[in-house]
Each structure stands twice: as structure tokens, then as C-alpha cells.
Amino acid sequence: MKETASSCMVVATLITTMMFAAAFTVPGGNDQETGMPLYLHTKSFLFFAISDALALVSSATSILIFLSMLTSRYAEEDFLSSLPNKLLTGLLTLFISIATMMMAFSSTLFMTLGYGYTWTTVTITAVACVPVTMYAFLQFHLVADIVSHSYTTSLFLHPKNCLLG
């Protein structure tokens, strides 16, 4: 559990760093006279700003969750509820940060390439879904194991409570 939290914390830190930098180096640059972003009044820029903010907040949240796991006292009762809950929440917020990071990338690409290259933008956006999908598939077994071991009761497993026996 410590190794998983440590690895996920590194990924979340990288995402936080990238999203923080992207917030200040907006796509298209700034107007030389006013300092305002050039694409400020487009829907793509609004989508970029929202997805960048969500990616930053969710990755920072996952860093804090994984940090709390690493600094846990590791008592026996922590392994029953606290640590599995934190791991599930951390994995979920990391998934949200990866998904919103790819959304910010796609909106930046759309603003940069413009409306004339729609087929290229759609193709690259579809390819950008690959890391999000891979993360979901690769972490599914871990999440399923945590849920099955943490949230199922032994009520259904006891032979005395079985309907057929």
C-alpha cells in the first residue's frame, strides 16, 4: 500500500506541476497591450480554464491523500477502513486529474490548430483518451479488490446464513 501511494503521489505531483504551469502559459499567448489572453472570449478557452483548474485541484487533492497514507500510523484498525478508503479516494482523484488534464490538452490543441483542422483535432483528441482508458483498466483490479475486501460483509459468506444450505 505504501509503494502504491508513493508511486501515485509522484504521478499526481507531475500533473500538478504541469497544470500549474499551463495556467500561466495560456494557449495562444497574451495581448501585448492589455496582457489578457488572446482566446479569452472563446468557448475553447473557457473549457481549457475549467479543465486545467479541475486537473490542478484534483491532483493536489490526490497528493494530500497519498501523503496522509504515507504518514499514517499503520495501526491494525487503519488497515480495515481508513487506509482502503484513502486509497480509493486517492485513485479516484488521480483518475479525475488525468482525465481533466487530457481535456485541457485537447482544448489547447483545438485552440491552437483552429477550426480548419477539425479532423486532426478529433483524431488527436481520440488518441488522448487512450491514457485515461488505460489507467481505468489497469487500476480496475486494484479498486475491485479494495471494494470487495473492505465493503463486503461476512454475513453472506457464513454457511448458517446461506439460503440453500
Side-chain angles (χ1 to χ4, degrees):
M1 200 173 271
K2 253 184 165 178
E3 290 176 16
T4 301
S6 181
S7 300
C8 290
M9 190 171 159
V10 169
V11 172
T13 303
L14 290 171
I15 293 172
T16 302
T17 304
M18 288 186 309
M19 295 296 99
F20 187 80
F24 292 104
T25 55
V26 294
N30 297 326
D31 187 2
Q32 294 295 327
E33 295 176 14
T34 63
M36 300 299 287
L38 293 175
Y39 295 122
L40 182 62
H41 300 291
T42 63
K43 290 180 184 179
S44 299
F45 186 81
L46 179 64
F47 188 76
F48 164 77
I50 292 171
S51 58
D52 185 71
L54 285 174
L56 180 64
V57 168
S58 61
S59 61
T61 303
S62 66
I63 288 172
L64 294 174
I65 292 168
F66 291 127
L67 183 63
S68 74
M69 287 180 65
L70 292 174
T71 58
S72 176
R73 58 190 172 113
Y74 293 104
E76 186 176 332
E77 58 270 1
D78 289 344
F79 286 98
L80 294 175
S81 63
S82 176
L83 289 174
N85 287 338
K86 287 179 182 179
L87 185 59
L88 279 176
T89 307
L91 290 172
L92 177 67
T93 55
L94 185 59
F95 175 78
I96 292 169
S97 69
I98 291 171
T100 52
M101 175 185 63
M102 297 315 270
M103 290 166 53
F105 166 75
S106 298
S107 64
T108 302
L109 189 67
F110 188 74
M111 281 186 287
T112 305
L113 290 178
Y115 296 94
Y117 298 98
T118 307
W119 67 271
T120 306
T121 307
V122 169
T123 304
I124 295 175
T125 301
V127 172
C129 293
V130 171
V132 178
T133 307
M134 281 185 62
Y135 178 81
F137 281 128
L138 293 173
Q139 297 299 329
F140 178 75
H141 292 294
L142 177 61
V143 171
D145 284 345
I146 293 169
V147 169
S148 69
H149 288 89
S150 299
Y151 301 113
T152 58
T153 62
S154 60
L155 176 70
F156 300 109
L157 302 176
H158 196 275
K160 180 178 162 184
N161 297 326
C162 184
L163 295 175
L164 299 174

